[in-house]
Amino acid sequence: MKHRIVVLGAGYAGAYVAGTLARRLSPADTEITVVNAEPDFVQRLRLHQLAAGQEIEAPQLADVFAGTAVRLRRARVTTVDPERQVVAVADADGGGELGYDTLLYALGSHGADHSVPGVAEHALDVATRPSALRLRERLDSLSKRDAGGSVLVVGDGLTGIETATEIAESRPGLSVTLVARAELGAPLSAGARSHLRQTCDRLRITVLEHTSIEAVETARVLCADGTALASDATVWTAGFAVSPIAAASGLEVTEDGRIVVDRTMRSVSHPNVYAAGDSAYAIGDNGQPLPMSCASAGYTGRQATDAIVGRLTGREIANTKLEYVGNHISLGRRDGILQMVDDQGQAKPKYMGGRKAARIKAGIVRMSLWATEHPTFGLPKRKHPLVAAPDASPAEKAIA
């Protein structure tokens, strides 16, 4: 019987792992299935552009995996049962269960409302393609009005900054306000913060610092100090959260629901389950948890792949880099910031800003898409057979 590998999620981490496993493992010994709710690959790095009115590529996953022998199951994951080693899914035909021998959990993350009243009912976001398209539709309707409209972006993390600047540049007829809990761009160096502020001034973005939102209503938000801010479109970008599926499954997770993994992305509680991307609580080489990001998806995906291949084929498992080197922030299409960080994740004094930074960020995005569309490019053509019973280290035997 073939060894069944099931990959949950086909984002930056899941798509990479599935394609790479298909290239490196013998199809005579393995069966790889990818479960994803949408039929196409979502460029999450560019969803703020989609919302602002631009067109972005969305490759069909069937084309991405063509010729790799990867099976694509378009369905929504509802539960994971690591004791029975099955995944329950729901689709247009009613769903069912998929059994697995090795599971790669890469369901990613979604916008976090932090239990703020009204966010779910009245706010928009750019966490998924459907939600980005809903925001785009709202912006289209506002742009058609003679008086324009007001857009309030809540959250000054990277997503909030990119969303506010993209909307302001693409739709100059709208009034854009960016709400920050602390100082604008607090994690950046002093020079990068100054560049960001100048960009907001140039794009006529109103910045409200040290402001907390306590409720979102249809046409306004309520601040902690009692102030009410009018808003025709409230965009919520105040952080991300993971699906509750992992926590409900009995896997060991953190308080926020991410799967606790060892250095090889293997679940510390269930040795035949691996996690990658935003779903994994992985400790980087600097001793700090890796942040939720596309870069982290790449590092954790590569490590999970090497670990799965190594254990199934009896080969040595190499430790890939687990690092976070910096932030690449787009400020519209013609401006950007590249902020490198030190070993502890703190901003270095120097940064790059302007058109060159924007071009580098655009290149990174293009490279990420190309790598996803060509999951087996540059990999060894030799497919390794599985061993009957892969050797385990004493620590792994203890886990098992």
Side-chain angles (χ1 to χ4, degrees), residues 121-192:
E121 296 83 3
H122 306 298
L124 298 154
D125 63 70
V126 293
T128 66
R129 183 178 176 85
S131 62
L133 288 173
R134 285 193 293 271
L135 173 56
R136 177 175 177 159
E137 183 178 359
R138 176 73 65 83
L139 297 178
D140 284 343
S141 66
L142 294 179
S143 297
K144 294 176 183 177
R145 302 190 330 188
D146 292 338
S150 59
V151 179
L152 192 70
V153 180
V154 180
D156 66 327
L158 303 189
T159 302
I161 291 170
E162 292 191 326
T163 301
T165 53
E166 201 74 51
I167 293 174
E169 180 182 87
S170 298
R171 299 173 183 268
L174 300 180
S175 172
V176 179
T177 298
L178 178 60
V179 178
R181 285 184 60 88
E183 180 185 2
L184 177 65
L188 302 175
S189 64

Side-chain angles (χ1 to χ4, degrees), residues 35-46:
V35 182
N36 200 65
E38 300 297 328
D40 46 25
F41 172 73
V42 176
Q43 291 194 73
R44 192 166 180 180
L45 286 173
R46 299 182 65 192

Side-chain angles (χ1 to χ4, degrees), residues 246-291:
S249 71
L251 293 165
E252 184 170 336
V253 299
T254 58
E255 288 186 3
D256 62 2
R258 288 185 287 171
I259 298 173
V260 181
V261 296
D262 63 15
R263 182 57 177 74
T264 66
M265 302 305 113
R266 193 184 203 181
S267 164
V268 299
S269 62
H270 294 78
N272 61 344
V273 176
Y274 295 78
D278 289 353
S279 302
Y281 181 78
I283 303 300
D285 295 338
N286 62 356
Q288 303 295 321
L290 290 176

Side-chain angles (χ1 to χ4, degrees), residues 43-129:
Q43 291 194 73
R44 192 166 180 180
L45 286 173
R46 299 182 65 192
L47 287 180
H48 59 286
Q49 292 178 242
L50 180 67
Q54 302 161 33
E55 297 302 326
I56 65 174
E57 295 179 68
Q60 294 291 299
L61 290 172
D63 295 333
V64 170
F65 295 127
T68 66
V70 171
R71 300 181 178 184
L72 178 62
R73 176 72 180 272
R74 185 184 173 186
R76 179 174 55 86
V77 178
T78 56
T79 60
V80 173
D81 188 337
E83 307 306 327
R84 294 173 53 224
Q85 295 186 196
V86 297
V87 176
V89 300
D91 57 21
D93 298 323
E97 288 187 339
L98 294 174
Y100 67 83
D101 300 300
T102 296
L103 180 71
L104 187 282
Y105 189 108
L107 290 179
S109 61
H110 58 270
D113 61 18
H114 301 295
S115 300
V116 174
V119 172
E121 296 83 3
H122 306 298
L124 298 154
D125 63 70
V126 293
T128 66
R129 183 178 176 85

Side-chain angles (χ1 to χ4, degrees), residues 331-354:
L331 305 175
R333 296 300 85 213
R334 297 180 296 277
D335 197 356
I337 292 174
L338 299 187
Q339 176 67 74
M340 309 309 288
V341 300
D342 60 23
D343 291 342
Q344 295 305 307
Q346 301 300 310
K348 293 182 177 180
K350 291 185 178 180
Y351 79 100
M352 178 187 296

